[in-house]
Amino acid sequence: MLLIPCPWCGPRDEAEFHYGGQAHVAYPEDPAALSDEEWARYLFFRDNPKGLFAERWSHTAGCRRWFNAVRDTATNEIHAVYRVGEPRPVIA
Amino acid sequence: MSGQPYRREGATGRVLRFRFDGQEYEGLEGDTLASALLANGVRAVASSIRLGRPRGVYAAGCEEPNALVQIEEPFPEPMLQATTVELYDGLVATGLPGQGRLADRPDPARYDAVHAHCDVLVVGAGPAGIAAAGVAARAGARVILADERPEPGGSLLGTAETLDGRPGREWAAGEVAALAALPEARVLGRTTVLGHYDDNYVIAVERRTNHLGAAAPAEMARERVWRIRAKRVVLATGGHERFVAFAGNDLPGVMLAGAARTYANRHRVLPGRRAVVFTTNDSAYAAALDLADAGVEIAAIADVRQAPGEAWAARCAERGIEVLTGHVVTAARGEGEVSSVETAPRSKTQGAGGETREIPADLLLVSGGWSPVVHLFSQSGGTLRYDEGLGAFTPGEARQAVEAAGFARGVTTLRGCLEDGAEAGRRALSAAGLAVPSEIAVPAVGEEPPAAPAEHLWLVESGDYGTHFVDLQRDVTVGEVLRAVGAGLSSVEHVKRYTTAGTAHDQGKTSGLLTSGVVAHALGVEVAELGTTTFRAPYTPVSFAALAGRDRGPLHDPVRVTAMHEWHVARGALFENVGQWKRPWYYPRPGEDPGEDMEAAVLRECRAAREDVAAMDASTLGKIDVVGPDAAVFLDRLYTNMMSTLRAGSIRYGVMCRADGMVFDDGTVIRLADDRFLVTTTTGNAAAVLDWMEEWLQTEWPDLRVHCTSVTEQWATVALVGPRSREVLARLAPGLAVDNDSFPFMTWRDTEVAGIEARVCRISFSGELAYEINVSSWSGLALWEAVMASGEVTPYGTETMHVLRAEKGFPIVGQDTDGTVTPQDLGMEWIVSKKKADFVGKRSFARADTSRPDRKHLVGLLPEDPGVLLPEGAHLVATSSLPEPPVPTLGFVTSSYRSAALGRTFALALVSGGRERAGERLYAPVGADLVPVTVTSHVLYDPEGARRDG
Amino acid sequence: MSPRARTTRPPGVDLPDHPDRLWSPAEPKRAYDVVIVGGGGHGLATAYYLAKNHGITDVAVLERGWLAGGNMARNTTIIRSNYLWDESAGIYEHALKLWEGLEEDLGYPLLFSQRGVLNLAHSLQDVRDSVRRVNANRLNGVDAEWLTPEQVKEVCPIVDISPDVRYPVLGGTYQPRAGIAKHDYVAWGFAKAAADLGVDMIEHCEVTGLDVRDGRVTGVQTTRGPIAAGKVALAAAGHSSVVAGYAGVSLPLQSHPLQALVSELLEPVHPTVVMSNAVHVYVSQAHKGELVMGAGIDAANSYRQRGAFHVIERQMSAALELFPVFARAHVLRTWGGVVDVTPDASPIVGLTPVEDLYVNCGWGTGGFKATPGVGWCYAHTVATGEPHPLNAPFSLERFTTGKLVDEHGAAAVAH
């Protein structure tokens, strides 16, 4: 049960959140212009690093807002949380 | 006390009666089952799992490897350690031969869970824990002090030490009582911390009524899980004593030295009359002396070291106790229990000379050293390092805000533990941002003799390792460990799995390090290099029921019911679970015996809807308000069809796909105003659709000015269906013009129905003239009762709804789709906009797989025998006889019903290239038969849509 | 001393003995024909069939920890082949047929016990889906039956089929040939047999890089030095993304912790394997008597071999819904593994864009049961450079065409 610092509500139990996978995967500007390979990449391929991962969470049982976090998938330590639209913070 | 021959003089407490293995015994309040059995001279408590050897009490706490019992009364509970079962009047237990037994009746007890937050959680109320908690709590920190035993004191309970002149037990009780009185401190006794998770999330279980036996109050939770979030954790978890592997080290009468000391001091029980002590370190001397003072004859102390501590040797000499230095115990002997102990100089076991001695004794106390309890520290992610001095693993680097204190960190003296605990308390204060007191008084304790170094001995060498046990509970011997190593295994994890050592009820608390030691010995490497197996939660076993807590039966998952639910219940409806909702499935005609079956009820309900008038509670459909200047643009992007062209006052059916092009949900979209829509979803998908909308809005299109709100619970909905629905509605809503021109199909009107403010929608999921009347949930029951008042409207449930829509070929998402179906597969090309540049899923329709001609299409099936009902889930093949498997399937039946309107059975199916197969005969294997069916359009009733206007 | 009457046979005595020799830890050579990355069940089975079926014995199995210490040591040992789609039934049924002769083939006791698997249905849609799967199974030659609640109770008398359960049991599918085996023994059986045929077992050897030259893999970099390889076969389960990434190959995988737990040893109460998706449970009683139970998957990606505790609590409440008799059983030990999950809950077995580099991953929660089947097919793929017909549908390519094999409904755990 992680303690996730919601940027709007403060630290809350993981059970209050919904996971959204990799962050910063934009819906393509013009899907029709993509090749099947490129479209497949958008649909199905997400990064799966062992280490720092910028990911999305939604505080579904709280403010219901989506936000991003940088978490280390090897340790589960959350290094930063930030609002949608903000750039991924640089973690030293 | 004559019934308790091994009870020391001066024991006090209420006499308790209990039964063990069919024998009646007496014990005293404060006993554990183990101490009471020892007081009664019961040596063999259980028998071993594989070899059937008798086994006695070995330890005095949760590390006990041997004395496993089954509780029979007051309620059966499998496999507990006699050392952790508090004695109560009426306890009935039996010794276990390896397997516990579950009750054959439901557990009547209650279980619960609570959340708690604190600045510092202190685990263990021994000297270090009490010191840490005291310092932190007195300075105002929010403190939780948890201890697994019924009373505080930890190691003090087993010794005869004094603090500030008071016996240890009394000191601990006083300190903890004072602590508990502080407003921000909480003391949890009988509470075992089981697991230490990320972000200092700590799980403990409190045993609240177990010790009360049959007197336990029924309303009180028997066990309660504590979910604790701590800013800082201090692990003052003490240590577990280890034994040494030698021949016969499992015989009843062999016991850990510290455990024997605990029985003598805390329980005033003598575990034997004449003892030999076998040790690798100083600690067993204190035990030997306490036991000698209590009246046990100490025949000899075999100390593997050449130079034991001088002070201890002197004390032994004072009492005339013989100390055999450089000696080991080579064997414990006896029939079913220890009657003699063989000692020899260690050099002899290593091939050199020396005399063996056979010493008569009924008790053999063993100390192979002490291991800090590092389980929770390891679970928290901290590293361990091997401490050469202790011959054990101690906490290394922490990964969270957690530290060990006292012996758990390897501090061996009482004074040291008290000081260490106090320091941990100070650090917790500064971490919590509280003022740290400069002076902290540590209680005065007696002088402890200077410690002589321990010598680390894992096993006594021998030519035969057949009874040198390493894991008593799993009957694993040194011989088997050596065999595993000989088979090529060099990892302790492999050896554990090969031999099963460390996997029993005690999870290797006494055997884990010993196994590593023996493996290291065999491989000729250092234990430090080899490491141990992983420490996994729970620290001690925890009941399933405690973890399940209250989340059982109706509370396992919330039950959702509509505003009209009571009416349905009173009318005798049968219910279907749809998501969390209870929906009326069908309404058997009341007052008949035997009651109407589902088939008859559904045919009757269908007939009413098609020929007369019927009503369904449709309140469970998901409803979402979509509001804002960009609401129309937003819906255009999510639905496959165009929503922005919908006029206020009108309604449109829509389908949503996932980005992969597969149908996700469907429903109606009502345009309330230019900037306001109400969309409906399927019952099961309501939350998912709202989440879907929020996700797109917030993460992809934050520029869109749209807000989405769930209003599912705010509205109650009655679907009024059938050729006579108009006349019923007209009566209920005299202010509403109900003719087709004034109130056309796919429009809505605000009005009053039965005097209730309502929104009426002209939509139909049956193909009949129909209205959906929406009112505030508060008025839902009143509306429903008004609709039903005339007695001419037939209530119908989900089954009839399914039949009616299937006759019209309307798919149910989740029944006629399975996440692999596109709108085109459903025959809904018409709903996929060609005009819109893009919508979610559009690009996927251009992939190779979505344009395959052999995709499965939704079709109708007519069994050639109109009386045959195909089972839903039946598959379809092309041949009239089945070839050998594997037989390729052409598709399967998604929906199948008897139709009153068609006067026959029919089905919907997803069939490969199905639309091209109209008129083709296929076969459905049903049991041993192949049922011939004809493929047809999925719209079987009123294909021209003539009935919707009445 | 009180008499110790034994009411049942001691549960430990029936367990078979292990052989005196399993494998000899090998020092890595400078080059191999085939290097298998990952010494779990799949890697070991692949090595065995490469040697046995294809005569390729210049093979190294590289394991970063101790052999079979990853998911092979952490799964709940369920074996079944009752998957929905023809493609899945093909490979899982092939595996089951191999299981049926595996003890003899490997000459190792695997405690393979065909005690049947029940998959319970709790809603009308569950019933439809279940019947659909039973019928699909039968067409594929997979034994499967639909059971009424009463028949479920006959197979497993401790299942609560009363209507008081929050989601009552409406029936279940039953595969009699399904069952369990002892995971460690399976791994060691394959390891011993492969080692006997000349395969090198190299433990504590973590792959840190893949050498790719002109679009072709030529070797691996490891913590024990570089090793040249004619072909490299990945079998790294939860770490597949990381390892494939060394060659610039990205895979549609997400790694998540999955937990399991055991109880103390109990007298026999549970004769089969019971799985339920809706009331999330899968449980069997192992040979010594412990209940072995799988919990849910953690939602967030993680490489920690440890899940969140609320997942275990939820699991226990589900277990007691269906098995009230378990109330006072005790959880002895919980643990976690890292599973790699694909978008369609089906595996990826086959070629990669890099020549001579092969991938076997994405088994999610279903890898153990497939062990011999995938070992067989993957060995064929590696040996011939072409997918075996049974793993051809599980290509990486399918994510581009869209021809997925959607097994979300058949998986044990909601992916």
Side-chain angles (χ1 to χ4, degrees), chain C residues 73-95:
Chain C
R74 297 158 195 272
N75 69 84
T76 50
T77 82
I78 297 170
I79 294 166
R80 62 193 175 92
S81 64
N82 56 351
Y83 279 69
L84 175 62
W85 299 99
D86 296 350
E87 296 87 344
S88 315
I91 195 161
Y92 286 109
E93 178 61 18
H94 179 57

Short mmCIF file of all heavy atoms in Angstrom, two decimals, chain C residues 73-95:
data_model
loop_
_atom_site.label_atom_id
_atom_site.label_comp_id
_atom_site.label_asym_id
_atom_site.label_seq_id
_atom_site.Cartn_x
_atom_site.Cartn_y
_atom_site.Cartn_z
N ALA C 73 9.62 -20.41 -8.98
CA ALA C 73 9.61 -20.76 -7.56
C ALA C 73 8.43 -20.10 -6.84
O ALA C 73 8.23 -20.32 -5.66
CB ALA C 73 10.91 -20.31 -6.91
N ARG C 74 7.65 -19.32 -7.57
CA ARG C 74 6.68 -18.46 -6.89
C ARG C 74 5.25 -18.67 -7.36
O ARG C 74 4.35 -17.98 -6.89
CB ARG C 74 7.06 -16.99 -7.12
CG ARG C 74 8.40 -16.63 -6.55
CD ARG C 74 9.00 -15.40 -7.22
NE ARG C 74 10.41 -15.29 -6.90
CZ ARG C 74 10.88 -14.66 -5.83
NH1 ARG C 74 10.07 -14.04 -5.03
NH2 ARG C 74 12.16 -14.64 -5.59
N ASN C 75 5.05 -19.57 -8.30
CA ASN C 75 3.70 -19.69 -8.84
C ASN C 75 2.86 -20.66 -8.03
O ASN C 75 3.35 -21.31 -7.10
CB ASN C 75 3.76 -20.11 -10.31
CG ASN C 75 4.23 -21.52 -10.46
OD1 ASN C 75 3.46 -22.46 -10.35
ND2 ASN C 75 5.54 -21.70 -10.66
N THR C 76 1.59 -20.76 -8.38
CA THR C 76 0.69 -21.61 -7.61
C THR C 76 0.47 -22.97 -8.27
O THR C 76 -0.45 -23.69 -7.91
CB THR C 76 -0.66 -20.92 -7.37
OG1 THR C 76 -1.15 -20.43 -8.61
CG2 THR C 76 -0.51 -19.75 -6.42
N THR C 77 1.29 -23.31 -9.24
CA THR C 77 1.47 -24.66 -9.80
C THR C 77 0.22 -25.25 -10.48
O THR C 77 0.11 -26.45 -10.60
CB THR C 77 1.99 -25.67 -8.75
OG1 THR C 77 0.92 -26.17 -7.96
CG2 THR C 77 3.07 -25.07 -7.87
N ILE C 78 -0.68 -24.39 -10.91
CA ILE C 78 -1.89 -24.92 -11.55
C ILE C 78 -1.61 -25.25 -13.01
O ILE C 78 -0.95 -24.50 -13.73
CB ILE C 78 -3.05 -23.91 -11.43
CG1 ILE C 78 -3.40 -23.71 -9.95
CG2 ILE C 78 -4.27 -24.39 -12.21
CD1 ILE C 78 -4.35 -22.57 -9.69
N ILE C 79 -2.11 -26.41 -13.42
CA ILE C 79 -1.93 -26.87 -14.80
C ILE C 79 -3.31 -27.13 -15.39
O ILE C 79 -4.11 -27.87 -14.81
CB ILE C 79 -1.09 -28.16 -14.82
CG1 ILE C 79 0.33 -27.86 -14.33
CG2 ILE C 79 -1.07 -28.77 -16.22
CD1 ILE C 79 1.12 -29.11 -13.99
N ARG C 80 -3.59 -26.53 -16.53
CA ARG C 80 -4.87 -26.74 -17.21
C ARG C 80 -4.72 -26.30 -18.64
O ARG C 80 -3.74 -25.62 -18.98
CB ARG C 80 -6.01 -25.96 -16.51
CG ARG C 80 -5.78 -24.47 -16.54
CD ARG C 80 -6.70 -23.71 -15.61
NE ARG C 80 -6.33 -22.30 -15.61
CZ ARG C 80 -6.85 -21.38 -16.42
NH1 ARG C 80 -7.81 -21.70 -17.27
NH2 ARG C 80 -6.44 -20.13 -16.39
N SER C 81 -5.67 -26.67 -19.48
CA SER C 81 -5.58 -26.25 -20.88
C SER C 81 -6.91 -25.73 -21.38
O SER C 81 -7.14 -25.64 -22.57
CB SER C 81 -5.11 -27.42 -21.75
OG SER C 81 -6.08 -28.45 -21.71
N ASN C 82 -7.82 -25.38 -20.45
CA ASN C 82 -9.18 -25.01 -20.85
C ASN C 82 -9.28 -23.54 -21.25
O ASN C 82 -10.07 -22.80 -20.69
CB ASN C 82 -10.16 -25.36 -19.75
CG ASN C 82 -9.81 -24.70 -18.42
OD1 ASN C 82 -8.74 -24.13 -18.27
ND2 ASN C 82 -10.72 -24.79 -17.47
N TYR C 83 -8.47 -23.14 -22.19
CA TYR C 83 -8.49 -21.76 -22.68
C TYR C 83 -9.51 -21.61 -23.80
O TYR C 83 -9.88 -22.56 -24.46
CB TYR C 83 -7.09 -21.35 -23.14
CG TYR C 83 -6.21 -20.94 -21.96
CD1 TYR C 83 -5.78 -21.88 -21.03
CD2 TYR C 83 -5.84 -19.62 -21.77
CE1 TYR C 83 -5.00 -21.51 -19.95
CE2 TYR C 83 -5.06 -19.23 -20.69
CZ TYR C 83 -4.64 -20.19 -19.79
OH TYR C 83 -3.87 -19.81 -18.71
N LEU C 84 -9.93 -20.36 -23.98
CA LEU C 84 -11.05 -20.09 -24.88
C LEU C 84 -10.70 -20.26 -26.36
O LEU C 84 -11.38 -20.97 -27.09
CB LEU C 84 -11.56 -18.67 -24.63
CG LEU C 84 -12.66 -18.19 -25.57
CD1 LEU C 84 -13.90 -19.06 -25.44
CD2 LEU C 84 -13.02 -16.73 -25.27
N TRP C 85 -9.66 -19.59 -26.81
CA TRP C 85 -9.43 -19.50 -28.24
C TRP C 85 -8.66 -20.71 -28.74
O TRP C 85 -7.84 -21.29 -28.03
CB TRP C 85 -8.68 -18.21 -28.58
CG TRP C 85 -9.44 -16.97 -28.20
CD1 TRP C 85 -9.26 -16.22 -27.08
CD2 TRP C 85 -10.53 -16.38 -28.90
NE1 TRP C 85 -10.15 -15.18 -27.05
CE2 TRP C 85 -10.94 -15.25 -28.14
CE3 TRP C 85 -11.21 -16.68 -30.09
CZ2 TRP C 85 -12.00 -14.42 -28.55
CZ3 TRP C 85 -12.25 -15.85 -30.48
CH2 TRP C 85 -12.64 -14.74 -29.72
N ASP C 86 -8.88 -21.06 -29.99
CA ASP C 86 -8.23 -22.22 -30.59
C ASP C 86 -6.71 -22.12 -30.46
O ASP C 86 -6.04 -23.11 -30.16
CB ASP C 86 -8.58 -22.32 -32.08
CG ASP C 86 -10.07 -22.56 -32.31
OD1 ASP C 86 -10.77 -22.84 -31.31
OD2 ASP C 86 -10.52 -22.46 -33.47
N GLU C 87 -6.18 -20.92 -30.66
CA GLU C 87 -4.73 -20.74 -30.62
C GLU C 87 -4.18 -21.12 -29.24
O GLU C 87 -3.18 -21.82 -29.12
CB GLU C 87 -4.36 -19.28 -30.93
CG GLU C 87 -4.72 -18.82 -32.35
CD GLU C 87 -6.15 -18.29 -32.46
OE1 GLU C 87 -6.97 -18.54 -31.53
OE2 GLU C 87 -6.47 -17.64 -33.48
N SER C 88 -4.88 -20.65 -28.21
CA SER C 88 -4.42 -20.91 -26.85
C SER C 88 -4.61 -22.39 -26.50
O SER C 88 -3.72 -23.01 -25.92
CB SER C 88 -5.21 -20.07 -25.84
OG SER C 88 -5.31 -18.75 -26.30
N ALA C 89 -5.78 -22.91 -26.83
CA ALA C 89 -6.03 -24.31 -26.53
C ALA C 89 -4.95 -25.17 -27.16
O ALA C 89 -4.49 -26.15 -26.57
CB ALA C 89 -7.41 -24.71 -27.05
N GLY C 90 -4.51 -24.78 -28.36
CA GLY C 90 -3.49 -25.56 -29.06
C GLY C 90 -2.23 -25.70 -28.24
O GLY C 90 -1.75 -26.81 -27.98
N ILE C 91 -1.70 -24.59 -27.78
CA ILE C 91 -0.41 -24.68 -27.11
C ILE C 91 -0.55 -25.21 -25.68
O ILE C 91 0.27 -26.00 -25.21
CB ILE C 91 0.35 -23.32 -27.15
CG1 ILE C 91 1.83 -23.55 -26.79
CG2 ILE C 91 -0.29 -22.27 -26.28
CD1 ILE C 91 2.74 -22.42 -27.24
N TYR C 92 -1.63 -24.83 -25.00
CA TYR C 92 -1.80 -25.33 -23.63
C TYR C 92 -2.15 -26.81 -23.60
O TYR C 92 -1.74 -27.54 -22.70
CB TYR C 92 -2.86 -24.52 -22.88
CG TYR C 92 -2.40 -23.13 -22.47
CD1 TYR C 92 -2.89 -21.99 -23.09
CD2 TYR C 92 -1.47 -22.96 -21.46
CE1 TYR C 92 -2.48 -20.72 -22.72
CE2 TYR C 92 -1.05 -21.70 -21.07
CZ TYR C 92 -1.55 -20.58 -21.70
OH TYR C 92 -1.14 -19.33 -21.33
N GLU C 93 -2.91 -27.26 -24.58
CA GLU C 93 -3.25 -28.68 -24.62
C GLU C 93 -2.01 -29.51 -24.99
O GLU C 93 -1.81 -30.61 -24.47
CB GLU C 93 -4.41 -28.93 -25.60
CG GLU C 93 -4.82 -30.38 -25.76
CD GLU C 93 -5.31 -31.05 -24.47
OE1 GLU C 93 -5.67 -30.36 -23.50
OE2 GLU C 93 -5.32 -32.30 -24.43
N HIS C 94 -1.20 -28.96 -25.87
CA HIS C 94 0.07 -29.63 -26.18
C HIS C 94 0.88 -29.77 -24.89
O HIS C 94 1.45 -30.84 -24.61
CB HIS C 94 0.84 -28.81 -27.22
CG HIS C 94 2.17 -29.39 -27.59
ND1 HIS C 94 2.30 -30.67 -28.09
CD2 HIS C 94 3.42 -28.88 -27.52
CE1 HIS C 94 3.59 -30.91 -28.32
NE2 HIS C 94 4.29 -29.85 -27.98
N ALA C 95 0.90 -28.72 -24.10
CA ALA C 95 1.62 -28.77 -22.83
C ALA C 95 1.03 -29.84 -21.92
O ALA C 95 1.75 -30.65 -21.33
CB ALA C 95 1.57 -27.41 -22.15
#
